Amino acid sequence: MRRQRTGTDHGQTTVEFLGMAPLILLVLVLLWQFVLVGYTFTLAGNAADEAARACALGENAGAAATRDLPGAWQAGASTSCARNPGGMSTAGVDLKVPVLFPGSVNFPFTVTGSAGAASEAPE
C-alpha cells in the first residue's frame, strides 16, 4: 500500500537559491576585485617599461609612463626615474588600485612596477 504525501517540496529550490544568492554575489565581487588588482599590476609594469625606455633616451619619463594608461589609472600615477652610473636607467611607477569600478574610489595602497634600460642618451 502506498502512502499519500501530505506536504510537498514546491518552492524549496527557490528558497535555497535565494539563500545562496548573496554568497554567489559576494564571490563574484571578490573575483572582479582580484581581476582589477592583477590588471593594475600589469599596467604598472608596462608603464615602468615605457618610463625606463624614455629615461634611457633622455625623454620625459612621466609622460611616457602615463601615455598608454587608461584614464582611471592616470590620475593616481606617480613616476620616478634615475640615470645611474654605468649606463643604466631605472624607473618606478606607482598606481592606485580602484575599488570595483575604475575611476571612482581607490584603495589606500598602491601597486609598484619597476624596470630598467640601458641608457642611450649622452650624459
Side-chain angles (χ1 to χ4, degrees):
M1 177 192 308
R2 196 176 244 195
R3 294 176 69 185
Q4 185 78 14
R5 288 180 75 179
T6 56
T8 62
D9 288 338
H10 294 299
Q12 183 65 30
T13 304
T14 304
V15 170
E16 289 175 2
F17 176 74
L18 289 175
M20 290 299 294
L23 181 62
I24 293 169
L25 288 175
L26 176 66
V27 168
L28 289 174
V29 166
L30 287 174
L31 285 174
W32 175 246
Q33 188 59 56
F34 287 136
V35 167
L36 283 176
V37 170
Y39 186 56
T40 304
F41 269 102
T42 302
L43 289 175
N46 184 59
D49 286 339
E50 295 293 329
R53 190 173 301 119
C55 188
L57 294 172
E59 298 172 355
N60 184 350
T66 58
R67 183 180 311 126
D68 293 332
L69 286 176
W73 281 269
Q74 283 181 355
S78 66
T79 306
S80 63
C81 176
R83 296 183 73 184
N84 302 322
M88 193 69 172
S89 295
T90 58
V93 176
D94 293 328
L95 297 179
K96 293 183 179 178
V97 179
V99 177
L100 295 181
F101 301 105
S104 58
V105 178
N106 294 323
F107 280 113
F109 60 88
T110 59
V111 168
T112 302
S114 58
S119 295
E120 299 176 23
E123 300 272 334

